[in-house]
Amino acid sequence: MALGMRSKLSLLFASLSAFVNAEVTVYTSETGTAALAQYTVASTDQTFLNPPAPPVDFNPAFFVQLYDGGMTGMGNPVSGGLFGFSIELSVAAMLMGEKPAVIRPEFLNYCALLEARGGSVTIRVGGNSQDKATLNMNGNPNGHTIQKYQGTDASKTETPEVHFTPDLLLTMAEISKLVNANWFFGIPFVNSNADGNAALVLQQARSTLGQNLLGLQLANEPDLYSINQKKSNTYAIPDFMGDTSYMIQNLTITDPILAGPSVCCFWSIEQLLDAGYLNWFQPQLKYIDVMHYPDNNCAQPKPDPQTKYVRYVSHHEVQNLVAPYLAASGAAVAAGKQFMMMETNTASCGGFPGISDSFASALWAADYAMQMAYGNFTYGLLHFGGQNVYYNPFTPPPTNMTKIRKWNTGPIFYAQLVAAEALGKSGNARVIDLLVDNNSDNRAGYAIYENGIASRMLFVNYVQPTTGPTANDYVATFAVGGAQTGLPSKTPATVKVKYLRADTINSKDNITWAGQSFGSQFMSDG
């Protein structure tokens, strides 16, 4: 059967079985109309880059052979909640709402869209601001759920010190009553529970979130503690192992609930495993996790995004993001643990203008999600910052515009919709990278099996058309069994196809998934 990539910049989603129509509750709030004020921060930036040139050897057609019963090398079963959210603690109330009674309806709508397709939504609350966070049981002086103070470390992200109230956890629990949201929460680590605060956070998170708590993250990027002056300038892996052991004993953690070691940059996950991290803490660990961004936008001087663009329209680059973790994911699975990417996105420190907020990021992220599923990642969570970042899946308007403007939907959120729908609700999706067209760099293809049945396929076309809307389209032809395989043909007579489309890979607005769009800036209610 032939499947044509009808738009040069479309991600093709082919279902080999019928789609199920899902009902979604839409949450609303009143929004007036007024002239759009000039507002120039990263989340509304209009930088456009020059797209990479099409390859000179573009192949307009290729064939994919599938097999009934499964294919050698498929990833382990994953759920449709794989590609979720990582929310920085300091901005959690801005996104979710201040109190359980005033949850942001737009946030609920975005979550409900993922739940309708993948059965659940996975959300982590934490990040750099978790490490010194303080839980104030009696409220903050300013009356808000989150109060920020000037940070004292040397973090490139200028991390504030956060004081939060139980209303944050109560809001999260209330969200889980409305949508099937499941949570990771970060435990303060830097002060080693010297004041009892970490124990209080742990107890409140467990009791408030209950069965919707997937795990507790113990430490956040500990390999940066030295350079960010959170610990001594000689802080090393043995120190971290000792601190982790002390925290586990001091907090009396005996059951598998922890996610760690959450390394990102200077220590590799293999170094931690070689040091005994998995063996030492096996009774308390549920997840072995890492954190990684494909590029560093924290550097000074800032890198030129134009020189980076080609990396985000490359299937090989996506494969290279996951490949370094395959040995660790295998070790985790062999030990009965799950492996996950606790935090990722297009680039650190808010992403790149013209890339992180363009359609290219949606194609890249859809490819990345499937590659993580293929590599035995249970979850891969896209990070949110505040207003002044480029990579947010969605961003509320600034507080002085909330009565007159709606939210911005980032292109990358469309990839989360695609991934949730591709993986589905069964919790038994097994993904394989088809290495299409001899593992071409400018396209990607995946098959998704459920219970041995080829259920869905997903194709990505990274190439920007230059001579017309149909230039550089390709046609993918596939068969299930039959022909030279010597097996009975199970190729379906018809398939349903959905396209993720935009005018160019530079597009920031009016992207469509199956003909539906969140529109332009300040137009979305989720």
Side-chain angles (χ1 to χ4, degrees):
M1 174 169 287
L3 300 172
M5 298 298 287
R6 290 181 290 172
S7 168
K8 189 66 209 104
L9 293 167
S10 59
L11 183 150
L12 181 148
F13 177 81
S15 174
L16 308 187
S17 57
F19 285 106
V20 177
N21 292 324
E23 295 184 358
V24 179
T25 301
V26 177
Y27 302 89
T28 61
S29 62
E30 291 186 3
T31 302
T33 59
L36 177 61
Q38 291 296 318
Y39 190 72
T40 53
V41 294
S43 59
T44 60
D45 187 276
Q46 290 298 301
T47 297
F48 291 93
L49 304 177
N50 297 317
V56 295
D57 57 348
F58 184 84
N59 184 7
F62 59 85
F63 174 74
V64 173
Q65 179 67 63
L66 304 182
Y67 296 85
D68 192 40
M71 295 177 68
T72 302
M74 293 188 303
N76 290 333
V78 295
S79 76
L82 177 142
F83 210 29
F85 305 138
S86 165
I87 299 175
E88 188 66 40
L89 173 63
S90 59
V91 302
M94 176 191 78
L95 280 172
M96 299 188 299
E98 276 280 335
K99 309 284 183 183
V102 286
I103 297 170
R104 304 293 292 264
E106 298 88 351
F107 183 81
L108 287 176
N109 287 337
Y110 285 113
C111 290
L113 290 171
L114 296 181
E115 179 195 28
R117 289 159 173 79
S120 65
V121 57
T122 307
I123 308 173
R124 171 260 194 149
V125 176
N128 289 327
S129 52
Q130 82 185 42
D131 267 326
K132 294 183 180 180
T134 299
L135 173 56
N136 288 334
M137 294 298 294
N138 297 320
N140 283 324
N142 66 1
H144 290 293
T145 297
I146 289 178
Q147 185 161 359
K148 305 174 192 178
Y149 298 89
Q150 181 68 41
T152 58
D153 60 44
S155 169
K156 299 289 186 182
T157 57
E158 300 180 352
T159 304
E161 294 189 11
V162 170
H163 289 205
F164 68 100
T165 73
D167 276 333
L168 174 64
L169 294 165
L170 291 168
T171 298
M172 293 160 62
E174 190 65 25
I175 288 170
S176 291
K177 294 177 184 178
L178 299 169
V179 294
N180 186 17
N182 299 300
W183 305 88
F184 289 92
F185 198 77
I187 302 300
F189 187 85
V190 168
N191 294 326
S192 302
N193 198 38
D195 55 1
N197 177 63
L200 181 64
V201 173
L202 182 148
Q203 186 273 326
Q204 289 294 311
R206 298 193 76 156
S207 63
T208 305
L209 297 176
Q211 64 182 6
N212 294 112
L213 179 65
L214 292 172
L216 295 167
Q217 184 192 4
L218 193 62
N220 183 82
E221 300 178 341
D223 43 339
L224 295 181
Y225 284 172
S226 173
I227 194 172
N228 287 340
Q229 300 177 14
K230 291 184 176 182
K231 296 280 190 177
S232 74
N233 59 9
T234 60
Y235 194 78
I237 289 174
D239 303 303
F240 172 63
M241 295 285 286
D243 285 347
T244 301
S245 181
Y246 174 82
M247 287 285 281
I248 287 174
Q249 294 177 41
N250 189 266
L251 299 176
T252 320
I253 301 171
T254 58
D255 58 323
I257 189 65
L258 296 182
S262 302
V263 292
C264 68
C265 308
F266 296 126
W267 305 342
S268 71
I269 186 63
E270 285 79 15
Q271 287 177 300
L272 269 295
L273 297 182
D274 289 345
Y277 185 86
L278 179 55
N279 294 331
W280 284 24
F281 310 124
Q282 182 154 347
Q284 293 83 22
L285 284 169
K286 186 175 181 181
Y287 305 90
I288 297 294
D289 77 318
V290 291
M291 305 168 71
H292 183 70
Y293 291 80
D295 218 314
N296 178 16
N297 198 34
C298 302
Q300 293 295 336
K302 293 283 187 182
D304 178 5
Q306 185 63 63
T307 66
K308 305 291 185 178
Y309 206 162
V310 67
R311 298 187 60 191
Y312 296 88
V313 289
S314 164
H315 182 53
H316 294 169
E317 290 287 347
V318 168
Q319 291 172 322
N320 292 339
L321 287 175
V322 172
Y325 301 110
L326 295 180
S329 70
V333 171
K337 308 302 177 183
Q338 298 176 57
F339 192 80
M340 66 175 291
M341 181 68 70
M342 183 66 76
E343 176 181 324
T344 190
N345 211 304
T346 46
S348 59
C349 288
F352 292 129
I355 297 175
S356 303
D357 54 355
S358 74
F359 185 56
S361 72
L363 299 176
W364 169 86
D367 193 0
Y368 189 19
M370 293 299 104
Q371 193 69 204
M372 284 191 284
Y374 173 54
N376 294 327
F377 287 63
T378 301
Y379 301 110
L381 307 181
L382 286 175
H383 198 54
F384 282 83
Q387 293 281 341
N388 204 31
V389 302
Y390 298 97
Y391 57 39
N392 285 345
F394 44 83
T395 308
T399 53
N400 63 348
M401 296 174 66
T402 53
K403 296 294 184 182
I404 60 172
R405 288 297 166 192
K406 297 183 180 181
W407 290 36
N408 290 336
T409 303
I412 208 166
F413 180 71
Y414 289 87
Q416 293 182 289
L417 291 176
V418 171
E421 198 160 340
L423 297 173
K425 298 180 179 181
S426 72
N428 196 33
R430 303 186 67 183
V431 177
I432 186 164
D433 185 344
L434 297 169
L435 308 176
V436 296
D437 195 20
N438 296 314
N439 198 29
S440 170
D441 190 34
N442 56 58
R443 60 194 60 177
Y446 297 90
I448 299 95
Y449 281 77
E450 291 175 315
N451 302 315
I453 298 172
S455 300
R456 290 172 292 278
M457 299 175 72
L458 185 150
F459 294 100
V460 180
N461 187 356
Y462 280 117
V463 180
Q464 163 83 11
T466 56
T467 59
T470 61
N472 301 121
D473 283 7
Y474 67 69
V475 174
T477 304
F478 76 94
V480 183
Q484 73 274 17
T485 67
L487 300 172
S489 175
K490 295 295 182 71
T491 306
T494 60
V495 296
K496 291 185 178 181
V497 179
K498 293 188 177 183
Y499 289 94
L500 181 65
R501 297 179 184 273
D503 291 337
T504 75
I505 58 175
N506 280 338
S507 294
K508 299 175 185 287
D509 304 315
N510 299 314
I511 297 163
T512 61
W513 170 236
Q516 296 180 302
S517 177
F518 293 102
S520 301
Q521 283 188 3
F522 299 119
M523 288 184 61
S524 179
D525 60 4

